[in-house]
Amino acid sequence: MTETYVLKQMVSLAHTPFQIVNRDGSVELGVGMRNVERLFYEKNHQMIAVARERAREYPVIFAEKRLLFAVFPEDPVTGQILLAGPVVSRALSREQLIEVRREWNMGKTDYQPPVTSIKKMVSMMLLLHWQSTGVTMSVDEFWKKNRKNYQSGQGK
């Protein structure tokens, strides 16, 4: 699994929290996570199961209810997956924030997801994929594999 040092640097660069998630859906390690994001994952186990299923052979970027996530293939030894997010590609309006909090069972909170560009998110994913597997992937290859996942969640 990716080293904590590398993840900390990615948090600084892309403003994206990371979670290492066990087979049972529990968060093993959070890097750059606030308490509200840890609760987010604890309350949304179904999203983790969906993420795990989507990333079988390569990293996947997907959008769910306005939020962006990245998931990396399961570690064959530990069964853990690396999740990045949630983030948004642009700041949300007050109404959108209220909607996101309601849709994700966040209760009364002032949570605002971090903002990062899609370009940074993809670069981060490609670097982490290379670091953990030694396999390089171009941005074009990445989008050929991911366009359907990403587009299917947009606008929800």
Side-chain angles (χ1 to χ4, degrees):
M1 192 55 58
T2 303
E3 292 181 32
T4 304
Y5 173 80
V6 174
L7 295 179
K8 286 180 181 178
Q9 301 315 308
M10 291 295 176
V11 170
S12 293
L13 292 171
H15 312 289
T16 304
F18 290 91
Q19 294 70 234
I20 296 175
V21 180
N22 295 318
R23 265 196 189 101
D24 66 2
S26 63
V27 176
E28 175 73 21
L29 175 68
V31 179
M33 281 177 67
R34 298 172 282 179
N35 285 337
V36 69
E37 288 154 344
R38 183 174 297 279
L39 289 173
F40 170 87
Y41 281 97
E42 289 174 2
K43 289 182 177 183
N44 294 288
H45 285 279
Q46 183 60 32
M47 193 280 302
I48 293 172
V50 169
R52 183 181 292 277
E53 186 61 35
R54 289 181 180 180
R56 288 290 183 189
E57 299 171 21
Y58 52 85
V60 172
I61 189 171
F62 63 98
E64 292 287 335
K65 301 176 184 175
R66 299 189 196 272
L67 300 179
L68 296 174
F69 300 89
V71 61
F72 296 81
E74 185 175 290
D75 182 291
V77 176
T78 66
Q80 296 174 325
I81 58 169
L82 176 63
L83 280 164
V87 298
V88 291
S89 59
R90 63 180 160 275
L92 300 178
S93 70
R94 183 175 184 275
E95 293 79 21
Q96 290 170 323
L97 284 168
I98 291 168
E99 184 179 313
V100 163
R101 293 173 194 147
R102 185 183 68 247
E103 288 176 336
W104 289 102
N105 306 313
M106 298 183 87
K108 297 214 182 262
T109 178
D110 61 352
Y111 175 70
Q112 293 188 18
V115 178
T116 194
S117 72
I118 297 296
K119 187 175 180 177
K120 277 186 186 177
M121 187 89 162
V122 170
S123 291
M124 172 203 65
M125 292 175 71
L126 294 175
L127 280 171
L128 290 173
H129 180 63
W130 169 79
Q131 191 237 353
S132 64
T133 66
V135 176
T136 60
M137 183 185 297
S138 72
V139 172
D140 287 340
E141 288 175 284
F142 176 86
W143 280 116
K144 282 179 187 171
K145 294 177 183 288
N146 273 281
R147 191 158 314 277
K148 188 175 182 179
N149 283 315
Y150 178 72
Q151 289 176 337
S152 69
Q154 291 297 293
K156 289 185 180 180

